[in-house]
mmCIF file of all heavy atoms in Angstrom:
data_model
loop_
_atom_site.group_PDB
_atom_site.id
_atom_site.type_symbol
_atom_site.label_atom_id
_atom_site.label_comp_id
_atom_site.label_asym_id
_atom_site.label_seq_id
_atom_site.Cartn_x
_atom_site.Cartn_y
_atom_site.Cartn_z
ATOM 1 N N SER Y 1 48.571 -83.384 19.810
ATOM 2 C CA SER Y 1 47.527 -84.345 20.056
ATOM 3 C C SER Y 1 47.668 -85.521 19.102
ATOM 4 O O SER Y 1 48.229 -85.404 18.031
ATOM 5 C CB SER Y 1 46.165 -83.692 19.884
ATOM 6 O OG SER Y 1 46.016 -83.258 18.551
ATOM 7 N N LYS Y 2 47.155 -86.642 19.527
ATOM 8 C CA LYS Y 2 47.190 -87.862 18.732
ATOM 9 C C LYS Y 2 45.804 -88.500 18.809
ATOM 10 O O LYS Y 2 45.212 -88.583 19.872
ATOM 11 C CB LYS Y 2 48.255 -88.807 19.276
ATOM 12 C CG LYS Y 2 48.506 -90.007 18.399
ATOM 13 C CD LYS Y 2 49.768 -90.720 18.871
ATOM 14 C CE LYS Y 2 50.083 -91.913 18.016
ATOM 15 N NZ LYS Y 2 50.628 -91.597 16.722
ATOM 16 N N LYS Y 3 45.290 -88.929 17.655
ATOM 17 C CA LYS Y 3 43.960 -89.524 17.611
ATOM 18 C C LYS Y 3 43.959 -90.859 18.348
ATOM 19 O O LYS Y 3 44.815 -91.701 18.125
ATOM 20 C CB LYS Y 3 43.512 -89.705 16.166
ATOM 21 C CG LYS Y 3 42.042 -89.981 16.038
ATOM 22 C CD LYS Y 3 41.590 -89.842 14.593
ATOM 23 C CE LYS Y 3 40.081 -89.809 14.526
ATOM 24 N NZ LYS Y 3 39.618 -89.473 13.188
ATOM 25 N N VAL Y 4 42.978 -91.031 19.236
ATOM 26 C CA VAL Y 4 42.854 -92.251 20.021
ATOM 27 C C VAL Y 4 41.747 -93.122 19.427
ATOM 28 O O VAL Y 4 41.893 -94.324 19.304
ATOM 29 C CB VAL Y 4 42.542 -91.924 21.496
ATOM 30 C CG1 VAL Y 4 42.373 -93.183 22.307
ATOM 31 C CG2 VAL Y 4 43.626 -91.034 22.081
ATOM 32 N N GLU Y 5 40.643 -92.492 19.080
ATOM 33 C CA GLU Y 5 39.514 -93.160 18.436
ATOM 34 C C GLU Y 5 38.706 -92.093 17.727
ATOM 35 O O GLU Y 5 39.061 -90.917 17.762
ATOM 36 C CB GLU Y 5 38.664 -93.929 19.454
ATOM 37 C CG GLU Y 5 38.121 -93.049 20.565
ATOM 38 C CD GLU Y 5 37.474 -93.850 21.696
ATOM 39 O OE1 GLU Y 5 38.138 -94.744 22.243
ATOM 40 O OE2 GLU Y 5 36.319 -93.555 22.005
ATOM 41 N N GLN Y 6 37.610 -92.475 17.067
ATOM 42 C CA GLN Y 6 36.800 -91.512 16.330
ATOM 43 C C GLN Y 6 36.423 -90.325 17.215
ATOM 44 O O GLN Y 6 35.871 -90.506 18.287
ATOM 45 C CB GLN Y 6 35.528 -92.200 15.805
ATOM 46 C CG GLN Y 6 34.694 -91.337 14.897
ATOM 47 C CD GLN Y 6 35.413 -90.983 13.600
ATOM 48 O OE1 GLN Y 6 36.220 -91.741 13.105
ATOM 49 N NE2 GLN Y 6 35.117 -89.829 13.064
ATOM 50 N N ASN Y 7 36.768 -89.112 16.754
ATOM 51 C CA ASN Y 7 36.460 -87.870 17.465
ATOM 52 C C ASN Y 7 37.004 -87.812 18.888
ATOM 53 O O ASN Y 7 36.416 -87.188 19.762
ATOM 54 C CB ASN Y 7 34.956 -87.589 17.455
ATOM 55 C CG ASN Y 7 34.475 -87.264 16.065
ATOM 56 O OD1 ASN Y 7 35.202 -86.687 15.263
ATOM 57 N ND2 ASN Y 7 33.258 -87.645 15.757
ATOM 58 N N ARG Y 8 38.136 -88.449 19.130
ATOM 59 C CA ARG Y 8 38.783 -88.382 20.441
ATOM 60 C C ARG Y 8 40.296 -88.377 20.240
ATOM 61 O O ARG Y 8 40.829 -89.239 19.555
ATOM 62 C CB ARG Y 8 38.378 -89.561 21.311
ATOM 63 C CG ARG Y 8 38.886 -89.392 22.726
ATOM 64 C CD ARG Y 8 38.239 -90.359 23.699
ATOM 65 N NE ARG Y 8 39.012 -90.330 24.920
ATOM 66 C CZ ARG Y 8 40.041 -91.135 25.180
ATOM 67 N NH1 ARG Y 8 40.398 -92.053 24.325
ATOM 68 N NH2 ARG Y 8 40.706 -91.024 26.297
ATOM 69 N N TRP Y 9 40.935 -87.380 20.853
ATOM 70 C CA TRP Y 9 42.372 -87.223 20.737
ATOM 71 C C TRP Y 9 42.968 -87.078 22.126
ATOM 72 O O TRP Y 9 42.353 -86.521 23.034
ATOM 73 C CB TRP Y 9 42.715 -85.977 19.919
ATOM 74 C CG TRP Y 9 42.381 -86.103 18.473
ATOM 75 C CD1 TRP Y 9 43.229 -86.491 17.464
ATOM 76 C CD2 TRP Y 9 41.131 -85.853 17.846
ATOM 77 N NE1 TRP Y 9 42.568 -86.491 16.264
ATOM 78 C CE2 TRP Y 9 41.282 -86.101 16.462
ATOM 79 C CE3 TRP Y 9 39.872 -85.439 18.301
ATOM 80 C CZ2 TRP Y 9 40.252 -85.949 15.557
ATOM 81 C CZ3 TRP Y 9 38.839 -85.292 17.403
ATOM 82 C CH2 TRP Y 9 39.033 -85.548 16.041
ATOM 83 N N GLU Y 10 44.198 -87.580 22.277
ATOM 84 C CA GLU Y 10 44.915 -87.453 23.541
ATOM 85 C C GLU Y 10 45.952 -86.351 23.418
ATOM 86 O O GLU Y 10 46.627 -86.219 22.397
ATOM 87 C CB GLU Y 10 45.620 -88.770 23.868
ATOM 88 C CG GLU Y 10 46.391 -88.733 25.174
ATOM 89 C CD GLU Y 10 47.066 -90.052 25.504
ATOM 90 O OE1 GLU Y 10 46.960 -91.010 24.716
ATOM 91 O OE2 GLU Y 10 47.723 -90.111 26.557
ATOM 92 N N ALA Y 11 46.085 -85.542 24.467
ATOM 93 C CA ALA Y 11 47.087 -84.483 24.493
ATOM 94 C C ALA Y 11 48.471 -85.087 24.745
ATOM 95 O O ALA Y 11 48.632 -85.987 25.568
ATOM 96 C CB ALA Y 11 46.759 -83.470 25.590
ATOM 97 N N TYR Y 12 49.442 -84.600 24.003
ATOM 98 C CA TYR Y 12 50.838 -84.995 24.159
ATOM 99 C C TYR Y 12 51.645 -83.752 24.524
ATOM 100 O O TYR Y 12 51.256 -82.639 24.190
ATOM 101 C CB TYR Y 12 51.388 -85.558 22.848
ATOM 102 C CG TYR Y 12 51.105 -87.025 22.628
ATOM 103 C CD1 TYR Y 12 49.810 -87.520 22.611
ATOM 104 C CD2 TYR Y 12 52.146 -87.913 22.425
ATOM 105 C CE1 TYR Y 12 49.556 -88.860 22.407
ATOM 106 C CE2 TYR Y 12 51.901 -89.272 22.207
ATOM 107 C CZ TYR Y 12 50.605 -89.730 22.203
ATOM 108 O OH TYR Y 12 50.368 -91.057 22.001
ATOM 109 N N VAL Y 13 52.772 -83.930 25.175
ATOM 110 C CA VAL Y 13 53.677 -82.840 25.521
ATOM 111 C C VAL Y 13 55.084 -83.188 25.054
ATOM 112 O O VAL Y 13 55.308 -84.270 24.502
ATOM 113 C CB VAL Y 13 53.660 -82.539 27.046
ATOM 114 C CG1 VAL Y 13 52.292 -82.027 27.483
ATOM 115 C CG2 VAL Y 13 54.050 -83.767 27.853
ATOM 116 N N ASP Y 14 56.013 -82.299 25.312
ATOM 117 C CA ASP Y 14 57.421 -82.501 24.976
ATOM 118 C C ASP Y 14 57.590 -82.787 23.486
ATOM 119 O O ASP Y 14 58.171 -83.793 23.078
ATOM 120 C CB ASP Y 14 58.023 -83.621 25.821
ATOM 121 C CG ASP Y 14 59.554 -83.635 25.768
ATOM 122 O OD1 ASP Y 14 60.148 -82.590 25.411
ATOM 123 O OD2 ASP Y 14 60.151 -84.685 26.067
ATOM 124 N N GLY Y 15 57.044 -81.873 22.670
ATOM 125 C CA GLY Y 15 57.182 -81.999 21.228
ATOM 126 C C GLY Y 15 56.477 -83.214 20.642
ATOM 127 O O GLY Y 15 56.885 -83.741 19.624
ATOM 128 N N GLY Y 16 55.409 -83.665 21.311
ATOM 129 C CA GLY Y 16 54.644 -84.802 20.817
ATOM 130 C C GLY Y 16 55.215 -86.149 21.190
ATOM 131 O O GLY Y 16 54.818 -87.180 20.649
ATOM 132 N N ARG Y 17 56.143 -86.177 22.148
ATOM 133 C CA ARG Y 17 56.783 -87.443 22.527
ATOM 134 C C ARG Y 17 56.175 -88.100 23.757
ATOM 135 O O ARG Y 17 56.313 -89.297 23.945
ATOM 136 C CB ARG Y 17 58.281 -87.214 22.750
ATOM 137 C CG ARG Y 17 59.038 -86.868 21.481
ATOM 138 C CD ARG Y 17 60.529 -86.749 21.727
ATOM 139 N NE ARG Y 17 60.879 -85.578 22.508
ATOM 140 C CZ ARG Y 17 61.173 -84.387 21.996
ATOM 141 N NH1 ARG Y 17 61.166 -84.214 20.705
ATOM 142 N NH2 ARG Y 17 61.480 -83.383 22.768
ATOM 143 N N GLU Y 18 55.524 -87.309 24.601
ATOM 144 C CA GLU Y 18 55.039 -87.845 25.879
ATOM 145 C C GLU Y 18 53.520 -87.799 25.976
ATOM 146 O O GLU Y 18 52.917 -86.736 25.866
ATOM 147 C CB GLU Y 18 55.630 -87.044 27.053
ATOM 148 C CG GLU Y 18 57.135 -87.125 27.179
ATOM 149 C CD GLU Y 18 57.607 -88.481 27.643
ATOM 150 O OE1 GLU Y 18 56.897 -89.150 28.425
ATOM 151 O OE2 GLU Y 18 58.696 -88.896 27.201
ATOM 152 N N LYS Y 19 52.904 -88.950 26.214
ATOM 153 C CA LYS Y 19 51.456 -89.032 26.436
ATOM 154 C C LYS Y 19 51.101 -88.375 27.761
ATOM 155 O O LYS Y 19 51.868 -88.457 28.721
ATOM 156 C CB LYS Y 19 50.994 -90.483 26.499
ATOM 157 C CG LYS Y 19 51.128 -91.247 25.226
ATOM 158 C CD LYS Y 19 50.614 -92.668 25.451
ATOM 159 C CE LYS Y 19 50.666 -93.479 24.186
ATOM 160 N NZ LYS Y 19 50.058 -94.801 24.356
ATOM 161 N N THR Y 20 49.912 -87.777 27.810
ATOM 162 C CA THR Y 20 49.442 -87.211 29.074
ATOM 163 C C THR Y 20 48.292 -88.003 29.667
ATOM 164 O O THR Y 20 48.012 -87.881 30.854
ATOM 165 C CB THR Y 20 48.956 -85.761 28.890
ATOM 166 O OG1 THR Y 20 47.803 -85.773 28.047
ATOM 167 C CG2 THR Y 20 50.047 -84.869 28.328
ATOM 168 N N GLY Y 21 47.585 -88.779 28.824
ATOM 169 C CA GLY Y 21 46.392 -89.464 29.293
ATOM 170 C C GLY Y 21 45.192 -88.542 29.403
ATOM 171 O O GLY Y 21 44.143 -88.933 29.892
ATOM 172 N N ILE Y 22 45.340 -87.298 28.928
ATOM 173 C CA ILE Y 22 44.278 -86.297 29.033
ATOM 174 C C ILE Y 22 43.652 -86.069 27.660
ATOM 175 O O ILE Y 22 44.356 -85.919 26.665
ATOM 176 C CB ILE Y 22 44.828 -84.962 29.589
ATOM 177 C CG1 ILE Y 22 45.472 -85.187 30.965
ATOM 178 C CG2 ILE Y 22 43.728 -83.905 29.658
ATOM 179 C CD1 ILE Y 22 46.228 -83.991 31.491
ATOM 180 N N ASP Y 23 42.327 -86.026 27.631
ATOM 181 C CA ASP Y 23 41.601 -85.740 26.401
ATOM 182 C C ASP Y 23 41.919 -84.315 25.936
ATOM 183 O O ASP Y 23 41.960 -83.382 26.740
ATOM 184 C CB ASP Y 23 40.100 -85.877 26.656
ATOM 185 C CG ASP Y 23 39.290 -85.627 25.413
ATOM 186 O OD1 ASP Y 23 39.184 -86.545 24.586
ATOM 187 O OD2 ASP Y 23 38.776 -84.499 25.260
#
Side-chain angles (χ1 to χ4, degrees):
S1 63
K2 189 168 181 75
K3 195 167 193 171
V4 178
E5 58 190 54
Q6 187 65 31
N7 292 328
R8 188 166 167 269
W9 290 265
E10 180 179 1
Y12 275 58
V13 295
D14 194 20
R17 292 184 290 270
E18 297 289 327
K19 294 181 178 185
T20 65
I22 302 171
D23 181 80

